[in-house]
Amino acid sequence: MKIGILSRNRRLYSTSQLIVAAEKRGHDVRVINPLRCYMNIAAFKPSIHYDGKTLTDFDAIIPRVGASITFYGTAVVRQFEMMGVYSLNESVAISRSRDKLRSMQLLSRQGIGLPVTGFANSPADTEDLLDLVGGAPVVVKLLEGTQGKGVVLAETRKAAESVVEAFRGLDANFLVQEFVKEAGGADIRCLVVGSKVVAAMKRQAQEGEFRSNLHRGGSAKLIKITPEERSTATRAAKIMGLNVAGVDLLRSNHGPVVLEVNSSPGLEGIEEATGKDVAGMIIEHIEKHAKSGRTGTRGKG
Ligand code: ADP
Ligand code: MG
């Protein structure tokens, strides 16, 4: 098969693992920088151009679209879909997963366990909003933050009010969430491929820190998850419409709760912690499912 990896840098761990895994299985792999793709939005003839050439004959693409280029990156994925190329994760699903509030609304509708979460627009409602999620301590989160940036723990009501006020002053969108203290600064990353959790790790925050992101100094190790956690993770990925996803869970005293669903999960931490060949499993999934025109939405919506 001819597989395109949409990634800005072939030397990134996840990208290079996917290249190796695909080549090992005899595929022709190209790394395509989505920011260098340009498109012709012509009637009935969608095409993509790259460095003076037209990109043709791809059987599948693997979007590795970073959060900072979601808008342009998903437009490129959508263009491939309109050309009938199978995308490992579809553009609509990627856009959906990038908005934390939208994701939580969709997950809650299907009864997925979530931390108690509130969202409001008017400063007049701050007091009520804090009560709604059970009062301090609360976590205040920017809707489009990643890697733990923009996630703040407000331990007292006064601190929570100040953070809410500061975010409002910056015109930022945020949500307010129950602080799941019993998680003890740990979360669980479940790597879902297709309808299975193929690897899971526990990430533990550094001493004195509640965010377990590896970018914030957290450490990762292999963990055995419960059947309930397993089904929560696979259902969450399915609801988001993602074939490959990193589903983050907290162990709360009301069961597993989903924090977020990532559409371009990093492979380095999880492969290292679990010893699993996740990149290989992703390529196998593509081999089984990539058929021209198999993209569900073909770029609609
Ligand atoms: P990001 O997209 O920046 O990674 P997350 O929502 O995943 O944002 O939050 C980052 C980390 O902060 C999580 O991995 C978790 O360790 C911690 N965290 C986030 N929300 C809560 C919460 N409500 N209760 C306890 N810990 C939380
Ligand atoms: Mg996270």
Side-chain angles (χ1 to χ4, degrees):
M1 289 201 304
K2 183 165 160 186
I3 301 175
I5 303 177
L6 294 183
S7 167
R8 289 163 81 184
N9 185 350
R10 62 187 310 123
R11 281 184 292 277
L12 293 174
Y13 180 91
S14 304
T15 306
S16 70
Q17 286 295 96
L18 288 164
I19 299 172
V20 171
E23 285 179 343
K24 215 156 85 188
R25 287 166 177 74
H27 301 299
D28 173 11
V29 194
R30 307 280 164 87
V31 176
I32 302 162
N33 177 354
L35 294 184
R36 292 291 313 279
C37 290
Y38 44 105
M39 294 163 266
N40 177 357
I41 320 277
F44 301 117
K45 264 201 315 199
S47 62
I48 301 185
H49 304 265
Y50 194 83
D51 232 355
K53 297 194 187 72
T54 311
L55 295 181
T56 53
D57 305 331
F58 280 89
D59 298 298
I61 55 161
I62 303 177
R64 298 286 315 173
V65 174
S68 59
I69 61 157
T70 299
F71 177 75
Y72 200 78
T74 51
V76 174
V77 175
R78 199 180 305 122
Q79 189 82 354
F80 273 108
E81 289 165 6
M82 291 194 290
M83 289 158 54
V85 178
Y86 171 88
S87 177
L88 178 62
N89 279 334
E90 293 186 20
S91 56
V92 272
I94 298 170
S95 307
R96 212 181 265 147
S97 73
R98 288 290 151 83
D99 179 336
K100 286 189 177 162
L101 181 61
R102 183 176 178 189
S103 306
M104 301 201 88
Q105 288 177 310
L106 295 171
L107 295 172
S108 73
R109 181 173 65 184
Q110 304 289 337
I112 295 285
L114 300 171
V116 180
T117 304
F119 178 77
N121 173 57
S122 166
D125 302 318
T126 302
E127 292 298 319
D128 244 11
L129 182 67
L130 292 174
D131 290 338
L132 203 67
V133 302
V138 295
V139 175
V140 188
K141 259 182 225 190
L142 291 178
L143 285 196
E144 295 190 4
T146 57
Q147 306 179 348
K149 286 177 253 169
V151 179
V152 181
L153 171 61
E155 306 205 44
T156 63
R157 191 167 185 103
K158 272 276 155 262
E161 286 165 4
S162 305
V163 174
V164 166
E165 200 179 308
F167 279 178
R168 282 236 167 80
L170 296 167
D171 265 336
N173 280 315
F174 59 88
L175 50 81
V176 178
Q177 205 164 62
E178 143 201 32
F179 174 51
V180 183
K181 188 160 186 263
E182 61 274 21
D187 75 352
I188 298 171
R189 159 60 61 94
C190 300
L191 210 301
V192 178
V193 178
S195 51
K196 286 205 187 90
V197 174
V198 299
M201 66 175 167
K202 178 177 174 173
R203 294 179 299 199
Q204 180 69 51
Q206 274 182 341
E207 193 59 34
E209 169 63 66
F210 77 103
R211 296 166 300 176
S212 56
N213 302 68
L214 302 182
H215 287 96
R216 303 261 79 74
S219 57
K221 68 170 209 273
L222 181 72
I223 191 178
K224 199 167 158 35
I225 57 171
T226 65
E228 191 187 9
E229 288 163 349
R230 192 171 288 278
S231 75
T232 301
T234 51
R235 283 183 61 214
K238 182 149 190 259
I239 292 164
M240 299 302 294
L242 294 166
N243 294 313
V244 168
V247 181
D248 295 343
L249 305 174
L250 291 181
R251 285 184 167 163
S252 84
N253 49 25
H254 47 99
V257 291
V258 173
L259 272 189
E260 61 172 342
V261 184
N262 288 283
S263 54
S264 285
L267 302 184
E268 186 165 16
I270 194 106
E271 288 196 343
E272 215 167 81
T274 63
K276 298 266 173 69
D277 175 20
V278 178
M281 293 188 261
I282 289 175
I283 302 297
E284 269 170 29
H285 179 88
I286 293 174
E287 288 168 354
K288 283 200 203 105
H289 296 92
K291 294 207 181 70
S292 180
R294 277 283 282 273
T295 295
T297 57
R298 290 205 60 161
K300 285 193 205 111

